[in-house]
Coordinates of all heavy atoms in Angstrom, one line a residue:
R197 N 39.8 3.2 -1.7 CA 39.4 1.8 -1.6 C 40.4 1.0 -0.7 O 40.2 -0.2 -0.5 CB 39.4 1.1 -3.0 CG 38.2 1.6 -3.8 CD 37.0 0.7 -3.6 NE 35.8 1.3 -4.2 CZ 34.7 0.6 -4.3 NH1 34.6 -0.7 -3.9 NH2 33.6 1.1 -4.9
G198 N 41.5 1.6 -0.2 CA 42.4 1.0 0.7 C 43.4 0.1 0.0 O 43.5 0.0 -1.2
K199 N 44.2 -0.6 0.8 CA 45.2 -1.5 0.3 C 44.6 -2.7 -0.3 O 43.5 -3.1 0.0 CB 46.3 -1.8 1.3 CG 45.9 -2.5 2.6 CD 47.1 -2.6 3.4 CE 47.0 -3.6 4.6 NZ 45.9 -3.4 5.5
E200 N 45.4 -3.4 -1.1 CA 44.8 -4.6 -1.8 C 44.6 -5.7 -0.8 O 45.5 -6.1 -0.1 CB 45.8 -5.1 -2.9 CG 45.2 -6.2 -3.7 CD 46.1 -6.5 -4.9 OE1 46.1 -5.8 -5.9 OE2 46.8 -7.6 -4.9
R201 N 43.4 -6.3 -0.8 CA 43.0 -7.4 0.0 C 42.4 -8.5 -0.9 O 41.4 -8.3 -1.5 CB 42.0 -7.1 1.1 CG 42.4 -6.3 2.2 CD 41.9 -4.8 2.2 NE 40.5 -4.6 1.9 CZ 40.1 -3.5 1.3 NH1 40.9 -2.6 0.7 NH2 38.8 -3.4 1.1
S202 N 43.1 -9.6 -1.0 CA 42.6 -10.7 -1.9 C 41.7 -11.6 -1.1 O 41.9 -11.9 0.1 CB 43.8 -11.6 -2.4 OG 44.7 -10.8 -3.1
R203 N 40.6 -12.0 -1.7 CA 39.8 -13.0 -1.1 C 40.5 -14.4 -1.2 O 41.3 -14.6 -2.1 CB 38.4 -13.1 -1.8 CG 37.6 -11.8 -1.8 CD 36.4 -12.0 -2.6 NE 35.4 -12.9 -2.0 CZ 34.4 -13.5 -2.7 NH1 34.2 -13.2 -4.0 NH2 33.6 -14.3 -2.1
S204 N 40.1 -15.3 -0.3 CA 40.8 -16.6 -0.4 C 40.3 -17.4 -1.6 O 39.1 -17.2 -2.1 CB 40.5 -17.4 0.9 OG 39.1 -17.9 0.8
P205 N 41.2 -18.2 -2.2 CA 40.7 -19.0 -3.4 C 39.5 -19.8 -3.1 O 38.6 -20.0 -3.9 CB 41.9 -19.9 -3.7 CG 43.1 -19.3 -3.0 CD 42.6 -18.5 -1.9
E206 N 39.4 -20.3 -1.8 CA 38.3 -21.2 -1.5 C 37.0 -20.4 -1.5 O 36.0 -20.9 -2.0 CB 38.5 -21.7 0.0 CG 39.6 -22.7 0.1 CD 41.0 -22.0 0.2 OE1 41.0 -20.8 0.6 OE2 42.0 -22.6 -0.1
A207 N 37.0 -19.1 -1.0 CA 35.8 -18.3 -1.0 C 35.4 -18.0 -2.4 O 34.2 -18.1 -2.7 CB 36.0 -17.0 -0.2
I208 N 36.3 -17.7 -3.3 CA 36.0 -17.3 -4.6 C 35.4 -18.5 -5.4 O 34.4 -18.5 -6.0 CB 37.3 -16.8 -5.4 CG1 37.7 -15.5 -4.7 CG2 37.0 -16.6 -6.9 CD1 39.1 -15.1 -5.2
L209 N 36.1 -19.7 -5.2 CA 35.6 -20.9 -5.9 C 34.3 -21.3 -5.4 O 33.4 -21.7 -6.2 CB 36.7 -22.0 -5.7 CG 37.8 -22.0 -6.7 CD1 38.9 -23.0 -6.4 CD2 37.2 -22.2 -8.1
S210 N 34.1 -21.2 -4.1 CA 32.8 -21.7 -3.7 C 31.7 -20.8 -4.1 O 30.6 -21.2 -4.5 CB 32.7 -22.0 -2.2 OG 32.4 -20.9 -1.4
E211 N 32.0 -19.5 -4.2 CA 31.0 -18.6 -4.8 C 30.7 -18.9 -6.3 O 29.5 -18.9 -6.7 CB 31.4 -17.1 -4.6 CG 30.4 -16.1 -5.1 CD 30.7 -14.7 -4.9 OE1 31.6 -14.4 -4.1 OE2 30.0 -13.8 -5.5
V212 N 31.8 -19.1 -7.0 CA 31.6 -19.4 -8.4 C 30.7 -20.7 -8.6 O 29.8 -20.8 -9.4 CB 32.9 -19.6 -9.2 CG1 32.7 -20.1 -10.6 CG2 33.6 -18.2 -9.2
E213 N 31.1 -21.8 -7.8 CA 30.3 -23.0 -7.9 C 28.9 -22.8 -7.6 O 28.0 -23.4 -8.2 CB 31.0 -24.1 -6.9 CG 32.2 -24.7 -7.5 CD 33.1 -25.3 -6.4 OE1 32.7 -25.4 -5.2 OE2 34.2 -25.8 -6.8
S214 N 28.6 -22.0 -6.5 CA 27.2 -21.8 -6.2 C 26.5 -21.0 -7.3 O 25.3 -21.3 -7.6 CB 27.2 -21.1 -4.8 OG 26.3 -20.1 -4.7
L215 N 27.2 -20.0 -7.9 CA 26.5 -19.3 -9.0 C 26.2 -20.2 -10.1 O 25.1 -20.2 -10.7 CB 27.5 -18.2 -9.5 CG 27.6 -17.0 -8.5 CD1 28.8 -16.1 -8.8 CD2 26.3 -16.1 -8.6
V216 N 27.2 -21.1 -10.5 CA 27.0 -22.0 -11.6 C 25.9 -23.0 -11.3 O 25.0 -23.3 -12.1 CB 28.3 -22.7 -12.0 CG1 28.1 -23.8 -13.0 CG2 29.3 -21.7 -12.5
G217 N 25.8 -23.4 -10.0 CA 24.8 -24.3 -9.6 C 23.4 -23.7 -9.8 O 22.4 -24.4 -10.0
R218 N 23.3 -22.4 -9.7 CA 22.0 -21.7 -9.8 C 21.8 -21.1 -11.3 O 21.0 -20.3 -11.5 CB 21.9 -20.6 -8.8 CG 21.4 -21.2 -7.5 CD 21.3 -20.2 -6.3 NE 22.7 -19.9 -5.9 CZ 23.1 -18.6 -5.8 NH1 22.4 -17.6 -6.1 NH2 24.4 -18.4 -5.4
G219 N 22.7 -21.6 -12.2 CA 22.4 -21.3 -13.6 C 23.4 -20.4 -14.3 O 23.3 -20.2 -15.5
A220 N 24.3 -19.8 -13.6 CA 25.3 -18.8 -14.2 C 26.2 -19.6 -15.2 O 26.6 -20.7 -14.9 CB 26.1 -18.1 -13.2
V221 N 26.4 -19.0 -16.4 CA 27.3 -19.6 -17.3 C 28.5 -18.7 -17.6 O 29.5 -19.1 -18.2 CB 26.7 -20.0 -18.7 CG1 25.7 -21.1 -18.5 CG2 26.0 -18.8 -19.3
E222 N 28.4 -17.4 -17.2 CA 29.5 -16.4 -17.4 C 29.8 -15.8 -16.1 O 28.9 -15.3 -15.4 CB 29.0 -15.4 -18.4 CG 30.1 -14.3 -18.6 CD 29.7 -13.2 -19.6 OE1 29.5 -13.5 -20.8 OE2 29.7 -12.1 -19.2
V223 N 31.1 -15.7 -15.8 CA 31.5 -15.1 -14.6 C 32.6 -14.1 -14.9 O 33.5 -14.5 -15.7 CB 32.0 -16.2 -13.6 CG1 32.9 -15.5 -12.5 CG2 30.9 -16.9 -12.9
T224 N 32.5 -12.9 -14.4 CA 33.6 -11.9 -14.6 C 34.3 -11.7 -13.3 O 33.7 -11.3 -12.3 CB 33.1 -10.6 -15.1 OG1 32.4 -10.8 -16.3 CG2 34.2 -9.6 -15.4
L225 N 35.6 -12.0 -13.2 CA 36.4 -11.8 -12.0 C 36.8 -10.4 -12.0 O 37.3 -9.8 -12.9 CB 37.6 -12.7 -12.0 CG 37.3 -14.2 -12.2 CD1 38.6 -15.1 -12.3 CD2 36.4 -14.7 -11.1
L226 N 36.6 -9.7 -10.8 CA 36.8 -8.3 -10.7 C 37.9 -7.9 -9.7 O 38.0 -8.5 -8.6 CB 35.6 -7.6 -10.2 CG 34.3 -7.5 -11.1 CD1 33.2 -6.8 -10.4 CD2 34.7 -6.8 -12.4
G227 N 38.7 -6.9 -10.0 CA 39.6 -6.3 -9.1 C 40.2 -5.1 -9.7 O 40.2 -5.0 -11.0
Q228 N 40.8 -4.2 -8.9 CA 41.4 -3.0 -9.5 C 42.6 -3.4 -10.3 O 43.0 -2.9 -11.3 CB 41.9 -2.0 -8.4 CG 40.8 -1.5 -7.5 CD 39.7 -0.8 -8.3 OE1 39.9 -0.3 -9.4 NE2 38.5 -0.6 -7.7
N229 N 43.3 -4.5 -9.8 CA 44.4 -5.1 -10.6 C 44.4 -6.6 -10.3 O 45.0 -7.1 -9.4 CB 45.8 -4.5 -10.0 CG 47.0 -5.1 -10.7 OD1 46.8 -6.0 -11.6 ND2 48.1 -4.8 -10.2
V230 N 43.6 -7.3 -11.1 CA 43.4 -8.7 -10.8 C 44.7 -9.5 -10.9 O 44.9 -10.5 -10.2 CB 42.4 -9.4 -11.8 CG1 41.0 -9.1 -11.4 CG2 42.6 -9.0 -13.2
N231 N 45.6 -9.0 -11.8 CA 46.8 -9.8 -12.0 C 47.7 -9.9 -10.8 O 48.5 -10.8 -10.7 CB 47.6 -9.2 -13.1 CG 46.9 -9.1 -14.4 OD1 47.1 -8.2 -15.2 ND2 45.9 -10.0 -14.6
S232 N 47.6 -9.0 -9.8 CA 48.4 -9.1 -8.6 C 47.7 -9.9 -7.5 O 48.2 -9.9 -6.4 CB 48.8 -7.7 -8.1 OG 47.7 -7.0 -7.8
Y233 N 46.6 -10.5 -7.9 CA 45.8 -11.3 -6.9 C 46.7 -12.2 -6.1 O 47.6 -12.9 -6.7 CB 44.7 -12.1 -7.6 CG 44.1 -13.1 -6.7 CD1 43.1 -12.8 -5.9 CD2 44.6 -14.4 -6.7 CE1 42.6 -13.7 -5.0 CE2 44.0 -15.4 -5.9 CZ 43.0 -15.0 -5.0 OH 42.5 -15.9 -4.2
G234 N 46.5 -12.3 -4.8 CA 47.0 -13.4 -4.0 C 48.4 -13.1 -3.4 O 48.8 -13.9 -2.5
R235 N 49.0 -12.0 -3.7 CA 50.3 -11.8 -3.2 C 50.3 -11.5 -1.7 O 51.2 -11.6 -1.0 CB 51.0 -10.6 -3.9 CG 51.4 -10.9 -5.3 CD 52.1 -9.8 -6.0 NE 52.2 -10.1 -7.4 CZ 52.4 -9.2 -8.3 NH1 52.5 -7.9 -8.0 NH2 52.4 -9.5 -9.6
D236 N 49.1 -11.0 -1.2 CA 49.0 -10.7 0.2 C 48.5 -11.9 1.0 O 48.3 -11.7 2.2 CB 48.0 -9.5 0.3 CG 46.6 -9.8 -0.3 OD1 46.6 -10.4 -1.4 OD2 45.6 -9.4 0.2
L237 N 48.2 -13.0 0.4 CA 47.7 -14.1 1.1 C 48.8 -15.0 1.7 O 49.9 -15.0 1.1 CB 46.8 -15.0 0.2 CG 45.5 -14.4 -0.3 CD1 44.8 -15.3 -1.3 CD2 44.6 -14.0 0.8
C238 N 48.5 -15.8 2.7 CA 49.5 -16.7 3.3 C 48.9 -18.0 3.4 O 47.9 -18.2 4.2 CB 50.0 -16.1 4.6 SG 51.3 -17.1 5.3
P239 N 49.2 -19.1 2.6 CA 50.3 -19.0 1.6 C 49.8 -18.2 0.4 O 48.6 -18.0 0.2 CB 50.4 -20.5 1.2 CG 49.1 -21.1 1.5 CD 48.6 -20.4 2.7
R240 N 50.9 -17.7 -0.3 CA 50.6 -16.8 -1.5 C 49.8 -17.6 -2.5 O 49.9 -18.8 -2.6 CB 51.9 -16.4 -2.1 CG 52.5 -15.1 -1.6 CD 53.9 -15.0 -2.1 NE 53.9 -14.5 -3.5 CZ 54.3 -13.3 -3.8 NH1 54.8 -12.5 -2.9 NH2 54.4 -12.9 -5.0
A241 N 49.0 -16.9 -3.3 CA 48.2 -17.5 -4.4 C 48.5 -16.7 -5.6 O 49.0 -15.6 -5.5 CB 46.7 -17.5 -4.1
S242 N 48.2 -17.3 -6.8 CA 48.5 -16.5 -8.0 C 47.2 -16.4 -8.8 O 46.3 -17.3 -8.8 CB 49.6 -17.1 -8.8 OG 49.0 -18.2 -9.6
F243 N 47.1 -15.3 -9.6 CA 45.9 -15.2 -10.5 C 45.8 -16.3 -11.5 O 44.7 -16.8 -11.8 CB 45.9 -13.8 -11.1 CG 44.6 -13.6 -11.9 CD1 43.4 -13.5 -11.2 CD2 44.6 -13.5 -13.3 CE1 42.2 -13.3 -11.9 CE2 43.4 -13.3 -14.0 CZ 42.2 -13.2 -13.3
A244 N 47.0 -16.7 -12.0 CA 47.0 -17.7 -13.1 C 46.3 -19.0 -12.5 O 45.5 -19.6 -13.2 CB 48.4 -18.0 -13.5
E245 N 46.7 -19.4 -11.3 CA 46.1 -20.6 -10.7 C 44.7 -20.4 -10.4 O 43.8 -21.3 -10.7 CB 46.8 -20.9 -9.3 CG 48.2 -21.5 -9.4 CD 48.9 -21.4 -8.1 OE1 48.2 -21.4 -7.0 OE2 50.1 -21.2 -8.1
L246 N 44.3 -19.3 -10.0 CA 42.9 -19.0 -9.7 C 42.1 -19.1 -10.9 O 41.0 -19.7 -11.0 CB 42.7 -17.6 -9.0 CG 41.3 -17.2 -8.7 CD1 40.8 -18.0 -7.5 CD2 41.2 -15.7 -8.5
L247 N 42.6 -18.5 -12.0 CA 41.9 -18.4 -13.3 C 41.6 -19.9 -13.8 O 40.6 -20.2 -14.2 CB 42.7 -17.6 -14.3 CG 42.0 -17.3 -15.6 CD1 40.8 -16.5 -15.4 CD2 43.0 -16.4 -16.5
R248 N 42.7 -20.7 -13.7 CA 42.6 -22.1 -14.1 C 41.5 -22.8 -13.3 O 40.7 -23.5 -13.8 CB 43.9 -22.8 -14.0 CG 44.0 -24.1 -14.7 CD 45.3 -24.8 -14.6 NE 46.4 -24.2 -15.4 CZ 46.6 -24.4 -16.7 NH1 45.7 -25.2 -17.3 NH2 47.5 -23.9 -17.3
S249 N 41.5 -22.6 -12.0 CA 40.5 -23.3 -11.1 C 39.1 -22.8 -11.4 O 38.2 -23.6 -11.5 CB 40.7 -23.0 -9.6 OG 42.1 -23.2 -9.3
V250 N 38.9 -21.5 -11.6 CA 37.6 -21.0 -11.9 C 37.1 -21.6 -13.3 O 35.9 -22.0 -13.4 CB 37.5 -19.4 -11.9 CG1 36.2 -18.9 -12.5 CG2 37.8 -18.9 -10.5
A251 N 38.0 -21.6 -14.2 CA 37.6 -22.1 -15.6 C 37.3 -23.6 -15.6 O 36.6 -24.1 -16.4 CB 38.7 -21.8 -16.6
S252 N 37.8 -24.3 -14.5 CA 37.6 -25.7 -14.4 C 36.3 -26.1 -13.7 O 35.9 -27.3 -13.6 CB 38.7 -26.4 -13.7 OG 40.0 -26.0 -14.2
V253 N 35.6 -25.1 -13.2 CA 34.3 -25.4 -12.5 C 33.3 -26.0 -13.6 O 33.1 -25.4 -14.6 CB 33.7 -24.1 -11.9 CG1 32.3 -24.4 -11.4 CG2 34.6 -23.7 -10.7
P254 N 32.8 -27.2 -13.3 CA 32.0 -27.8 -14.3 C 30.7 -27.0 -14.6 O 30.1 -26.5 -13.7 CB 31.5 -29.2 -13.7 CG 32.6 -29.4 -12.6 CD 33.1 -28.1 -12.2
G255 N 30.4 -26.8 -15.9 CA 29.2 -26.0 -16.2 C 29.5 -24.6 -16.6 O 28.7 -23.9 -17.3
I256 N 30.7 -24.1 -16.3 CA 31.0 -22.7 -16.7 C 31.4 -22.6 -18.1 O 32.1 -23.5 -18.7 CB 32.1 -22.1 -15.7 CG1 32.0 -20.6 -15.7 CG2 33.5 -22.5 -16.2 CD1 32.5 -20.0 -14.4
R257 N 30.9 -21.6 -18.8 CA 31.2 -21.5 -20.3 C 32.1 -20.3 -20.6 O 32.9 -20.3 -21.6 CB 29.9 -21.2 -21.1 CG 29.1 -22.4 -21.2 CD 27.9 -22.1 -22.0 NE 28.2 -22.1 -23.4 CZ 27.5 -22.8 -24.4 NH1 26.5 -23.5 -24.0 NH2 27.9 -22.8 -25.6
R258 N 31.9 -19.2 -19.8 CA 32.7 -18.0 -20.2 C 33.3 -17.4 -18.9 O 32.5 -16.9 -18.0 CB 31.8 -16.9 -20.9 CG 31.1 -17.5 -22.1 CD 30.3 -16.7 -23.0 NE 30.1 -15.3 -22.9 CZ 29.9 -14.5 -24.0 NH1 29.8 -15.1 -25.2 NH2 29.7 -13.2 -23.9
V259 N 34.6 -17.3 -18.9 CA 35.2 -16.6 -17.7 C 35.9 -15.4 -18.3 O 36.8 -15.4 -19.2 CB 36.3 -17.5 -17.0 CG1 36.9 -16.8 -15.8 CG2 35.6 -18.8 -16.6
K260 N 35.6 -14.2 -17.7 CA 36.2 -13.0 -18.1 C 36.9 -12.4 -16.9 O 36.6 -12.8 -15.7 CB 35.2 -12.0 -18.6 CG 34.5 -12.5 -19.9 CD 33.5 -11.4 -20.5 CE 33.0 -11.8 -21.8 NZ 32.2 -10.8 -22.5
Y261 N 37.7 -11.4 -17.1 CA 38.3 -10.8 -15.9 C 38.8 -9.4 -16.2 O 39.1 -9.1 -17.4 CB 39.5 -11.6 -15.3 CG 40.7 -11.8 -16.2 CD1 41.8 -10.9 -16.1 CD2 40.8 -12.8 -17.1 CE1 42.9 -11.0 -16.9 CE2 41.9 -13.0 -17.9 CZ 42.9 -12.1 -17.8 OH 44.0 -12.3 -18.6
E262 N 38.8 -8.5 -15.2 CA 39.3 -7.1 -15.4 C 39.5 -6.5 -14.0 O 38.8 -6.9 -13.1 CB 38.3 -6.3 -16.2 CG 37.0 -6.1 -15.6 CD 36.0 -5.3 -16.4 OE1 35.9 -5.6 -17.6 OE2 35.3 -4.4 -15.9
T263 N 40.5 -5.6 -13.9 CA 41.3 -5.0 -14.9 C 42.7 -5.5 -14.8 O 43.2 -5.8 -13.7 CB 41.3 -3.5 -14.7 OG1 40.0 -3.0 -14.9 CG2 42.3 -2.8 -15.5
S264 N 43.4 -5.7 -15.9 CA 44.8 -6.1 -15.9 C 45.8 -5.0 -15.8 O 45.5 -3.9 -16.4 CB 45.1 -6.9 -17.2 OG 44.5 -8.2 -17.1
H265 N 46.9 -5.2 -15.2 CA 48.0 -4.2 -15.2 C 49.1 -4.8 -16.0 O 49.5 -5.9 -15.7 CB 48.5 -3.9 -13.8 CG 49.4 -2.7 -13.7 ND1 50.6 -2.7 -14.3 CD2 49.2 -1.5 -13.2 CE1 51.2 -1.5 -14.1 NE2 50.3 -0.7 -13.4
P266 N 49.6 -4.1 -17.0 CA 50.6 -4.6 -17.9 C 51.8 -5.2 -17.2 O 52.3 -6.3 -17.6 CB 51.1 -3.4 -18.8 CG 50.0 -2.4 -18.6 CD 49.3 -2.7 -17.3
R267 N 52.2 -4.6 -16.1 CA 53.4 -5.1 -15.4 C 53.2 -6.4 -14.8 O 54.1 -7.2 -14.6 CB 53.8 -4.0 -14.3 CG 55.2 -4.1 -13.8 CD 55.2 -3.3 -12.5 NE 54.0 -3.6 -11.7 CZ 53.4 -2.8 -10.8 NH1 53.9 -1.5 -10.7 NH2 52.4 -3.1 -10.1
D268 N 51.9 -6.7 -14.4 CA 51.6 -8.0 -13.7 C 51.0 -9.0 -14.5 O 50.6 -10.1 -14.1 CB 50.7 -7.7 -12.5 CG 51.3 -6.7 -11.5 OD1 52.5 -6.8 -11.2 OD2 50.7 -5.7 -11.1
L269 N 50.9 -8.7 -15.8 CA 50.3 -9.7 -16.8 C 51.4 -10.7 -17.2 O 52.1 -10.5 -18.1 CB 49.7 -9.0 -18.0 CG 49.1 -9.9 -19.0 CD1 47.8 -10.5 -18.5 CD2 48.8 -9.2 -20.3
T270 N 51.5 -11.8 -16.4 CA 52.5 -12.8 -16.6 C 52.2 -13.7 -17.8 O 51.1 -13.9 -18.1 CB 52.8 -13.6 -15.3 OG1 51.5 -14.3 -15.0 CG2 53.2 -12.8 -14.1
D271 N 53.3 -14.4 -18.2 CA 53.1 -15.4 -19.3 C 52.2 -16.6 -18.7 O 51.5 -17.2 -19.5 CB 54.4 -16.0 -19.7 CG 55.1 -15.0 -20.6 OD1 54.6 -13.9 -20.9 OD2 56.3 -15.3 -21.0

Side-chain angles (χ1 to χ4, degrees):
R197 289 272 172 168
K199 59 180 192 308
E200 186 173 286
R201 287 105 51 211
S202 301
R203 297 176 68 195
S204 74
E206 295 77 25
I208 296 167
L209 274 172
S210 90
E211 184 174 347
V212 172
E213 280 161 3
S214 136
L215 286 162
V216 173
R218 277 174 290 127
V221 291
E222 178 182 298
V223 160
T224 303
L225 305 176
L226 290 180
Q228 304 297 343
N229 174 8
V230 279
N231 306 148
S232 62
Y233 168 81
R235 290 183 193 159
D236 55 323
L237 294 176
C238 186
R240 269 169 81 113
S242 81
F243 184 67
E245 284 162 34
L246 179 76
L247 190 58
R248 192 180 287 281
S249 314
V250 169
S252 307
V253 169
I256 205 154
R257 285 182 80 125
R258 304 185 6 151
V259 181
K260 297 183 169 187
Y261 64 92
E262 62 184 46
T263 294
S264 288
H265 192 293
R267 199 196 43 214
D268 301 316
L269 179 70
T270 58
D271 287 357

